[in-house]
Amino acid sequence: MEQKNFDVIIIGGSYSGLSAAMSLGRSLRQVLIIDSGLPCNRQTPHSHNFITQDGEKPAVISAKAKLQVDLYKTVHFYKGLAVQASKLKNGFEVSTESGEVFQSRKILFASGIKDSFPDIKGFADCWGISVLHCPYCHGYEVKNEKTAIIANGEMGFEYAKLISNWTKDLRLCTNGKSTLTLEQTEILKSHGVQIFEEEIDSFEHQDGYIQNIIFKNEEKVAVKAIYAKPPFEQHCTIPETLGCDLNEQGLLKVDAMQKTNINGVFASGDCTTPMRSVAIAVSTGSFAGAVINKELIDEDF
């Protein structure tokens, strides 16, 4: 790529990054999207709860978005991994894994998060297919089915309450000794929620579709869906090296304008919010693009 200087570099070219790029490209800004091509939902067969695209394959949505964004000659794409960024007097310098160096006045991180799967055989194979994170994205498709939740303590209690809206055939797997209070345990049982404290060994599944949970005591429980919220980390660690703050959940801390605590650095999408959905990623990206453009205007006027 010959061009090295841009108004904005966007790190992450999935839904949020592409949405921001469209806002900025339509604002006549020179934009570079750096993307390594590994979205967190690449295994998910269908996306839901995004109006006009409900039920579409995630890869189809992003491919269509990229084709539309690519029509704007102000937007440029670089396939690769950004590995370093540093603050300059009037902007930033970003380096890639292959040694390319680019500069920009502003940076937007739309880089998503990376899930850390538990040591349960079959978990990774089922993730996004029948092991789900969000009932708003996937709950309708498994409504009233035999469903399990993997969680414990306060989170397990609240998660079970939430999922009970979609199915009453529910069991809570604490994957070890329960840390629920006695009151929480009684409330869940009064609503028909079965509680399993045995540690989980593996999932029996067919091409990612869960059939049975196998516990370490060899007990087997048949389910059609599982909800889980595995721990995660930032997919890109560059914001932290620039000094960007993380909140107590490990997400990039942004204000109402999608600004981080570092001047000129913005963030949007999954790396900033626990509400992981295509619709919200698109929304925050579009808004961030408009805010960045306005900041550039104010600086130049």
Side-chain angles (χ1 to χ4, degrees):
M1 177 179 286
E2 294 184 7
Q3 186 172 340
K4 298 296 182 181
N5 292 286
F6 300 87
D7 294 310
V8 185
I9 290 176
I10 298 173
I11 297 178
S14 193
Y15 313 103
S16 200
L18 289 168
S19 183
M22 180 172 281
S23 284
L24 288 160
R26 290 180 58 82
S27 301
L28 310 181
R29 297 298 176 184
Q30 288 293 315
V31 181
L32 175 65
I33 298 175
I34 300 176
D35 183 60
S36 60
L38 292 173
C40 66
N41 67 351
R42 57 189 178 274
Q43 190 167 283
T44 305
H46 301 285
S47 174
H48 293 282
N49 210 28
F50 181 23
I51 197 166
T52 76
Q53 300 295 327
D54 189 52
E56 187 56 273
K57 294 179 181 178
V60 171
I61 299 173
S62 58
K64 183 177 180 180
K66 185 174 181 179
L67 283 174
Q68 292 179 349
V69 172
D70 198 33
L71 293 175
Y72 294 92
K73 301 309 177 187
T74 45
V75 180
H76 309 265
F77 292 88
Y78 178 88
K79 183 171 176 53
L81 184 67
V83 295
Q84 186 176 351
S86 56
K87 191 87 166 67
L88 305 175
K89 183 178 180 181
N90 296 309
F92 301 88
E93 184 172 86
V94 177
S95 303
T96 69
E97 192 173 43
S98 62
E100 295 268 20
V101 178
F102 303 101
Q103 293 184 358
S104 65
R105 293 172 63 183
K106 308 290 179 184
I107 293 182
L108 171 67
F109 288 96
S111 41
I113 58 173
K114 181 166 56 177
D115 295 295
S116 300
F117 297 139
D119 187 21
I120 298 173
K121 184 180 178 182
F123 189 102
D125 298 316
C126 296
W127 180 245
I129 300 172
S130 59
V131 177
L132 313 169
H133 77 287
C134 174
Y136 296 100
C137 297
H138 305 290
Y140 186 85
E141 282 63 45
V142 292
K143 62 184 181 299
N144 302 321
E145 295 284 7
K146 292 182 183 295
T147 300
I149 295 166
I150 300 176
N152 207 346
E154 185 68 23
M155 190 181 86
F157 179 68
E158 292 298 329
Y159 213 178
K161 282 171 59 180
L162 177 67
I163 303 306
S164 70
N165 181 76
W166 282 268
T167 181
K168 305 303 180 188
D169 196 347
L170 194 58
R171 61 270 311 133
L172 176 63
C173 301
T174 59
N175 198 25
K177 185 173 176 58
S178 171
T179 56
L180 295 162
T181 66
L182 287 174
E183 182 183 12
Q184 288 170 337
T185 300
E186 290 305 314
I187 290 172
L188 291 179
K189 287 183 177 179
S190 72
H191 284 84
V193 179
Q194 301 176 61
I195 299 173
F196 294 84
E197 296 188 58
E198 184 66 27
E199 289 186 19
I200 299 170
D201 178 73
S202 59
F203 296 158
E204 283 185 352
H205 67 94
Q206 183 68 44
D207 298 325
Y209 289 93
I210 186 75
Q211 296 169 327
N212 294 290
I213 300 173
I214 310 298
F215 294 96
K216 289 189 176 179
N217 65 358
E218 299 185 357
E219 184 180 357
K220 181 183 293 190
V221 174
V223 293
K224 286 292 187 68
I226 295 175
Y227 287 91
K229 292 183 179 180
F232 63 84
E233 58 189 37
Q234 288 289 320
H235 193 261
C236 178
T237 59
I238 296 173
E240 293 171 76
T241 65
L242 287 171
C244 296
D245 289 338
L246 301 179
N247 65 19
E248 61 280 357
Q249 296 171 292
L251 298 165
L252 285 172
K253 189 181 290 185
V254 293
D255 65 13
M257 296 290 113
Q258 302 298 139
K259 296 181 181 182
T260 71
N261 59 298
I262 301 300
N263 188 38
V265 180
F266 298 75
S268 65
D270 286 359
C271 62
T272 67
T273 175
M275 295 294 289
R276 296 169 64 179
S277 75
V278 175
I280 290 174
V282 168
S283 172
T284 57
S286 181
F287 182 65
V291 171
I292 293 169
N293 181 59
K294 180 62 165 58
E295 190 166 282
L296 290 167
I297 290 170
D298 289 343
E299 291 175 358
D300 293 340
F301 198 76

